[in-house]
């Protein structure tokens, strides 16, 4: 990780800010979030504006540049990396620490009276925009939309927006035709009393049109918007991407518009009619509709439908997980043979697991960068092995591998922790407690109406008994040949439960797929995580209190838990039986 | 339960409403909630205005009277009772049913344009007032404060407000002197940047002044307000209640004012200074302070301090529970002998349990009406035996007894379910699942920062496994010789978790006392509940992840669980050991 000299770029940026070319007023500050116009979690190269301007390359962070100062906010995972990458132009704002001001508080403390602050309105969600606007206006400042992104103006050699090949997903994989999905959506629109529905999240557009691409690494999506009316369906995408095959697939039902025409289209057709928007959509999109005509929900109806997999998708997720299990079983067997010889590194191990996966039918790509960590690096929760600082996988250390893949019919995400020598009693004790939590969640039966976060305590209680815990959520939704992190369902009861998208107050329903991934991490020593994707399904219970249905989970991942890591004396008979650990 | 003829009373009330004597405008409607000026859960006779005007005597409900109609809202527990007690003047609004309108929606649907709606501003909390005001104003109506309670104007022979003898609680029971409590509070006031603190909840005033009385049945409180400044402390109470002993106890530190002078006092002294109020205080109190000077929190600092018992109070709660255990053990032994003879009724059983309690040192009163129910009546969660319709306790039915008492040093609340003949396998199965949930909560270890609702799933999971559940919370706080239902701590993850005061997002802390009371109810057949009060305390864990403390519970109630109800094959070794069920 290198420090980036940002002096010249900041100089240029401040000139642009002062020039008032892209706003009506000279700007005293701009905010550069880690985001794209679709509020994606993973970004394409061309959208790494915050990385470019600050030098800090971590996945989460916000840069704020005033005429005199520059500051970067990031969280605990990235303090060390940010300290290395930021040059002396930058103040590092360590989020979560008591004395760190919020962006709005800091801005109000440094800005001269009556300042104008600019943001690219496509990069800020409607809800974030409103929050910032209110905070700034309270102190007499104004938040302005810039007509172009200011960072783009000073970014020489900015990569071009990706436009990878579009492929279609057939009905025997998607389970529903585009026409059926549109019909379902229109029923929901009627119920909600709206004339139009606007979709901005890339995975929602990909799902609706049964199309995939690879515009963003690990995410089989393409840059596009969609607007659905009662008599018309509109897809906004760079037109030169529409091949004859795609044209046939879309039929005459769908009108294709250029990607950049979304705002004028909304203004001309939807702005004065009841229009359904997600508050997670960009401020630019939401503000194209007159306020009184906006019908906003946190989650779009596609997001709520997509997270419940249909029988064909469930079958696909099962097949994908079976194929992935074959690859991972071969991989861990290989590790078992090779690690003791002393020639395996974190990077070579990750490469080997990819090799085994590539041999499986329907493999498309990984679903995220493989976490392959030996000993101390396992305690870094979002660790990724680095070629420039590759580390050996040692036989006397715990090895944690969190990996997943995109197959043509499903997405996988699995973590196993293994020891290729002799684990210590302490490691076994911790591992077994993590396993007990994993089993408790995997085997719970719960009534309809239960939310994911209701079940989080089950995954933690055995660790708590020993005074242990982990600093991350227990589960997130998984897409079906889509994003490996898919909202809105999840399992996290912690303080942030109302904030993070994967822990929301959404009822668990049969067909949902969530991960079950408790862990335990000892800083500088080791990390343990056991993760399976679970399918929610109807439970056959003896009774049905209140006429309610009861649900449970089925594990999709079929990769063994390493026997030598288990302290059998800590398991109950039920735990052994329910997981057939023999 | 008898139907009450309300025709004449409603006629008189509507005349008062139209007269505009107590408002500036004739009222088209008034709202009569089940409340007193202190937002108490239990009410004194003189405050049963909603019962008087409607005839419906259940504990929860709101009456709304327009010039033409009268409607009463209540919840599922009381539908049957309300149908019997309300005469034909009344529409019963069944809360929780899909087609039942909210009060505000119904009002807006029946009122003529631009109507004035009246409420006694002392009987509506500030938060309820604001909600109703906004809803009515949206539809062009206005919510008005009445200068006197309108129901009082038509209530002949309304009981007088109680003024029972005040007694003091000595330091060897309270654990802290009034002066120490005031010092603590003033520290909190400094932190919160306020000049004044207003206390309106009766148990908060009783706690602060180390005084008790019995103005409300089961609740050892007295009607009073308190205002705390930095250099003065003000108690508002009917002055003739202040005996020489109380005068000595209060010393010169406390200025006693008449109960009715609270509003003028606030207006003259506090209205233009930063004043701390709870949003649960009445609209009348909150609106006495100019809006910009109000500092509101849902819970007052007394409420947050009071729920953490000090070592002396913990000792008192332990002693009270021990004495109560002696009484209950004698009682259940007596039941074991007498029920099979066939001469025990629900009422005579309740009377017998009181008799045993009265023989214990320090007994003051019951802490709520004893629930003594045999067979089918056990499935009515808030059942109370009725002398006019007394039922035998049968040896071939489950018997549920939920009872508690006020002792001079603590408050108890315990439920046991027993069978005095031979329980069926199904009854044993259900009982054992309830017991497993009870043990899971009682024996959990959890990190500091955990909220009560995080633990609710533990009490339900074994019932869920069989498709069973219960429709109430798992736990509520318990006062120390104070109210048996004491907020803000509790344990309930259900839909209403953000609404009910005993399930709030408050961290569990050592010294808190909450109940652990899972149950299972089969309509028309039987009810099962197992309840102990639990003391939260520090756990000695092997590790302390993140430097955090871990906590657990200790059962205060020492009354055996009936062995014959337990299906031992459903218990794990740990469950048997942790509860020493042998």
């Amino acid at each position: 990780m290198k420090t980036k000299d940002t002096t010249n770029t900041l100089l240029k940026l401040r000139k642009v800010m002062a020039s008032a070319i892209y706003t009506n007023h000279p700007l005293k500050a701009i905010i550069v979030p880690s985001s794209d116009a679709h509020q994606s979690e993973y970004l394409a190269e061309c959208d790494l504006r915050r990385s470019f301007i600050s030098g800090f390359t971590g996945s989460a962070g916000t840069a704020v540049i005033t005429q005199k100062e520059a500051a970067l906010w990031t969280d605990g995972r990235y303090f060390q990396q940010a300290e290395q990458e930021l040059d002396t132009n930058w103040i590092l704002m360590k989020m979560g620490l008591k004395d760190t001001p919020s962006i709005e508080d800091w801005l109000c403390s440094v800005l001269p009276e009556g300042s104008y602050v600019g943001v690219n309105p496509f990069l800020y969600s409607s809800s974030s925009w409103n929050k910032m606007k209110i905070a700034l206006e309270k102190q007499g400042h104004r938040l302005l939309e810039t007509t172009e992104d200011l960072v783009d103006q000073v970014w020489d050699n900015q990569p071009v927006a990706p436009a990878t090949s579009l492929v279609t997903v057939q009905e025997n994989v998607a389970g529903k035709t585009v026409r059926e999905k549109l019909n379902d959506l229109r029923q929901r629109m009627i119920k909600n009393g709206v004339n139009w529905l606007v979709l901005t999240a890339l995975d929602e557009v990909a799902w609706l049109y049964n199309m995939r691409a690879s515009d963003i690494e690990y995410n089989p999506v393409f840059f596009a918007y969609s607007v659905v009316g009662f008599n018309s369906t509109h897809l906004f995408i760079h037109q030169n991407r529409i091949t004859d095959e795609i044209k046939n697939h879309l039929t005459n039902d769908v009108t294709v518009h250029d990607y950049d025409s979304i705002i004028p289209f909304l203004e001309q057709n939807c702005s004065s009619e009841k229009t359904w928007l997600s508050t997670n959509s960009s401020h630019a999109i939401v503000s194209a509709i007159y306020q009184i005509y906006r019908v906003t929900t946190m989650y779009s109806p596609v997001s709520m439908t997509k997270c419940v997999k249909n029988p064909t998708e469930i079958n696909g997720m099962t097949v994908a997980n079976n194929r992935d299990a074959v690859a991972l079983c071969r991989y861990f067997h290989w590790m078992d043979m090779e690690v003791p010889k002393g020639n395996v590194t974190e990077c070579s191990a990750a490469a080997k697991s990819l090799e085994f996966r590539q041999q499986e039918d329907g493999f498309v790509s990984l679903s995220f960068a493989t976490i392959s960590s030996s000993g101390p690096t396992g305690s870094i929760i979002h660790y990724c092995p680095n070629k420039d600082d590759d580390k050996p996988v040692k036989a006397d250390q715990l090895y944690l591998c969190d990996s997943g893949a995109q197959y043509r019919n499903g997405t996988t995400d699995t973590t196993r922790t293994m020891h290729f020598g002799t684990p210590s009693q302490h490691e076994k004790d911790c591992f077994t407690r993590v396993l007990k939590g994993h089993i408790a969640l995997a085997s719970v039966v719960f009534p309809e109406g239960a939310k994911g976060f209701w079940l989080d305590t089950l995954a933690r209680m055995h660790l708590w008994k020993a005074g242990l815990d982990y600093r991350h959520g227990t589960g997130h939704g998984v897409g079906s040949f889509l994003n490996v992190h898919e909202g809105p369902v999840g399992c996290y009861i912690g303080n942030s439960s109302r904030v993070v998208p994967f822990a929301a107050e959404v009822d668990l329903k049969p067909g949902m797929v969530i991960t079950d991934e408790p862990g335990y991490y000892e800083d500088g020593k080791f990390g343990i995580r056991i993760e399976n994707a679970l399918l929610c399904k109807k439970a056959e219970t003896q009774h049905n209190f209140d006429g309610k249905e009861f649900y449970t989970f089925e594990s999709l991942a079929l990769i063994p838990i390493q026997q030598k890591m288990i302290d059998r004396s800590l398991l109950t008979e039920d735990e052994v039986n329910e997981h057939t650990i023999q």
Side-chain angles (χ1 to χ4, degrees), chain A:
Chain A
M1 284 176 286
K2 289 181 197 160
T3 307
K4 176 170 178 174
D5 182 351
T6 60
T7 308
N8 282 332
T9 325
L10 287 176
L11 206 65
K12 284 193 226 167
L13 182 66
R14 286 178 175 134
K15 271 192 196 158
V16 179
M17 285 161 57
S19 73
I21 301 176
Y22 305 106
T23 44
N24 293 329
H25 303 272
L27 295 175
K28 286 282 190 282
I30 67 162
I31 304 172
V32 183
S34 302
S35 183
D36 65 13
H38 305 270
Q39 283 61 56
S40 306
E41 184 190 5
Y42 293 72
L43 301 182
E45 290 282 331
C46 61
D47 285 318
L48 297 172
R49 296 182 179 87
R50 192 262 303 141
S51 299
F52 167 77
I53 199 69
S54 69
F56 166 62
T57 61
S59 74
T62 302
V64 179
I65 301 102
T66 68
Q67 283 298 345
K68 288 186 187 156
E69 298 182 283
L72 180 111
W73 278 256
T74 190
D75 64 65
R77 291 174 291 168
Y78 293 116
F79 292 165
Q80 223 183 327
Q81 182 178 339
E83 271 163 8
Q84 286 178 25
E85 292 181 334
L86 294 175
D87 71 7
T88 54
N89 289 298
W90 291 83
I91 308 163
L92 173 57
M93 295 292 190
K94 298 182 174 181
M95 289 166 69
L97 300 196
K98 220 178 49 194
D99 296 330
T100 305
S102 66
I103 294 176
E104 44 272 42
D105 286 349
W106 182 77
L107 272 173
C108 292
S109 75
V110 300
L111 289 177
E113 220 168 294
S115 290
Y116 292 94
V117 178
V119 177
N120 177 342
F122 286 93
L123 302 189
Y124 238 41
S125 73
S126 168
S127 50
S128 305
W129 180 279
N130 291 335
K131 201 174 147 243
M132 183 59 71
K133 180 176 188 287
I134 289 168
L136 291 177
E137 287 182 356
K138 260 193 186 169
Q139 301 295 321
H141 308 298
R142 288 279 305 279
L143 189 64
L144 295 186
E145 306 164 8
T146 63
T147 53
E148 295 288 337
D149 190 278
L150 298 205
V151 174
D152 292 356
Q153 310 311 312
V154 300
W155 190 349
D156 301 331
N157 307 316
Q158 181 178 19
V160 294
T164 54
S165 299
L166 300 173
V167 295
T168 60
V169 178
Q170 298 310 307
E171 202 192 332
N172 63 0
V173 169
K176 280 196 168 178
T177 62
V178 178
R179 200 168 285 181
E180 285 169 334
K181 290 180 176 179
L182 284 167
N183 283 343
D184 289 350
L185 275 185
R186 290 185 174 120
Q187 292 305 316
R188 301 252 216 143
M189 289 165 60
I190 290 171
K191 269 197 191 163
N192 234 20
V194 297
N195 300 343
W196 297 97
L197 167 68
V198 183
L199 301 174
T200 64
L202 300 184
D203 63 336
E204 297 184 15
V205 177
W207 177 88
L208 177 60
Y209 290 99
N210 288 343
M211 281 161 50
R212 302 288 188 274
S214 51
D215 284 6
I216 296 181
E217 195 178 10
Y218 310 124
N219 296 237
V221 297
F222 49 91
F223 283 98
Y225 294 99
S226 180
V227 177
V228 179
F230 281 113
N231 304 307
S232 61
T233 310
H234 307 269
L235 176 64
F236 300 79
I237 187 167
H238 286 306
Q239 305 241 23
N240 56 7
R241 302 180 70 170
I242 305 295
T243 60
D244 287 345
E245 187 210 341
I246 298 295
K247 203 174 285 171
N248 276 337
H249 171 71
L250 292 173
T251 72
N252 289 334
D253 290 359
V254 181
T255 313
V256 177
H257 305 255
D258 202 67
Y259 179 78
D260 295 319
S261 64
I262 177 73
I263 298 288
F265 179 91
L266 291 175
E267 288 172 348
Q268 283 156 35
N269 298 282
C270 314
S271 60
S272 302
E273 297 187 26
K274 285 276 181 196
T275 301
W276 194 346
L277 301 146
S278 160
T279 50
N280 290 324
S281 294
S282 72
H283 172 69
I285 294 288
V286 173
S287 60
I289 310 298
Y290 288 119
Q291 186 147 11
I292 54 162
Y293 293 106
R294 290 176 208 161
V295 176
T296 56
T297 54
M298 193 182 302
Y299 305 111
S300 86
V302 167
S303 152
M304 297 299 283
T305 303
K306 176 166 56 65
C307 67
V308 179
K309 275 67 186 166
N310 64 45
T312 309
E313 290 172 324
I314 290 171
N315 183 54
M317 290 292 272
T318 307
V319 170
N321 269 282
N322 288 350
R323 287 177 180 157
D324 213 46
V326 171
L328 283 179
C329 287
R330 292 177 67 198
Y331 167 62
F332 285 118
H333 173 70
W334 180 88
M335 291 287 279
D336 219 8
M337 298 292 110
E338 297 302 318
V339 170
K341 296 180 191 163
N343 299 319
V344 181
T345 67
E346 291 179 344
C347 286
S348 74
K352 194 74 193 176
S353 70
L354 173 60
E355 205 181 301
F356 282 118
R357 280 190 162 110
Q358 283 167 331
Q359 295 170 31
E360 291 300 317
D361 257 11
F363 174 83
V364 176
S365 72
L366 295 180
S367 58
F368 57 98
T370 296
I371 297 175
S372 164
S373 52
S374 177
T377 60
S379 68
I380 304 168
I381 294 167
H382 289 85
Y383 179 75
C384 185
N386 179 352
K387 272 189 190 144
D388 299 334
D389 184 23
D390 198 8
K391 295 184 171 65
V393 176
K394 295 187 183 163
D396 62 349
Q397 289 183 333
L398 275 175
Y399 173 72
L400 185 157
C401 181
D402 186 349
S403 64
Q406 298 289 358
Y407 293 86
R408 295 224 176 280
N409 44 9
T411 304
T412 70
D413 184 1
T414 310
T415 309
R416 286 294 177 274
T417 306
M418 305 240 171
H419 203 294
F420 303 110
T422 308
S424 71
Q425 182 53 42
H426 176 56
E427 289 166 336
K428 286 168 68 175
D429 183 85
C430 297
F431 183 94
T432 309
R433 289 178 187 281
V434 172
L435 178 62
K436 283 169 79 76
H438 179 91
I439 294 173
L441 176 54
S443 58
V444 68
V445 175
F446 53 91
E448 60 177 288
K451 328 282 180 197
F453 75 86
W454 290 21
L455 308 179
D456 191 18
T457 294
L458 302 177
R460 297 177 195 271
M461 61 183 172
H462 298 288
L463 286 162
W464 287 352
K465 203 133 246 175
L468 305 178
D469 200 356
Y470 50 96
R471 294 189 202 93
H472 59 74
T474 296
H476 57 80
V478 180
S480 180
F481 187 23
L482 272 174
N483 296 354
V484 72
H485 288 167
E486 182 179 88
V489 68
C491 175
Y492 192 18
I493 206 167
N495 286 332
S496 45
S497 64
R498 308 281 139 55
V499 186
V500 298
F502 309 117
E505 299 207 12
V506 170
D507 290 2
L508 289 168
K509 284 184 187 151
M512 287 181 171
V513 175
I514 67 164
T515 61
D516 171 7
E517 49 179 313
Y520 172 65
Y521 310 90
E522 214 152 274
D523 285 352
K525 293 185 181 157
F526 62 82
I528 292 167
R529 186 160 64 250
I530 304 173
E531 175 186 24
N532 283 351
L534 304 179
L535 170 68
C536 180
K537 60 174 196 179
K538 200 172 168 310
E540 297 301 331
T541 50
Q542 215 180 326
H543 309 278
N544 282 85
F545 182 71
D546 240 355
K548 277 188 185 167
E549 296 210 317
F550 282 74
Y551 306 139
T552 188
F553 295 112
E554 178 187 322
S555 212
L556 292 177
L558 299 174
I559 297 114
I561 306 289
Q562 200 181 32
Q563 298 288 314
K564 72 165 105 166
M565 287 303 302
I566 302 174
D567 178 347
R568 290 287 293 255
S569 73
L570 290 176
L571 295 185
T572 65
E573 230 177 292
D574 279 352
E575 285 166 344
V576 174
N577 293 337
E578 293 197 47
H579 249 57
T580 55
I581 289 164
Q582 280 146 11

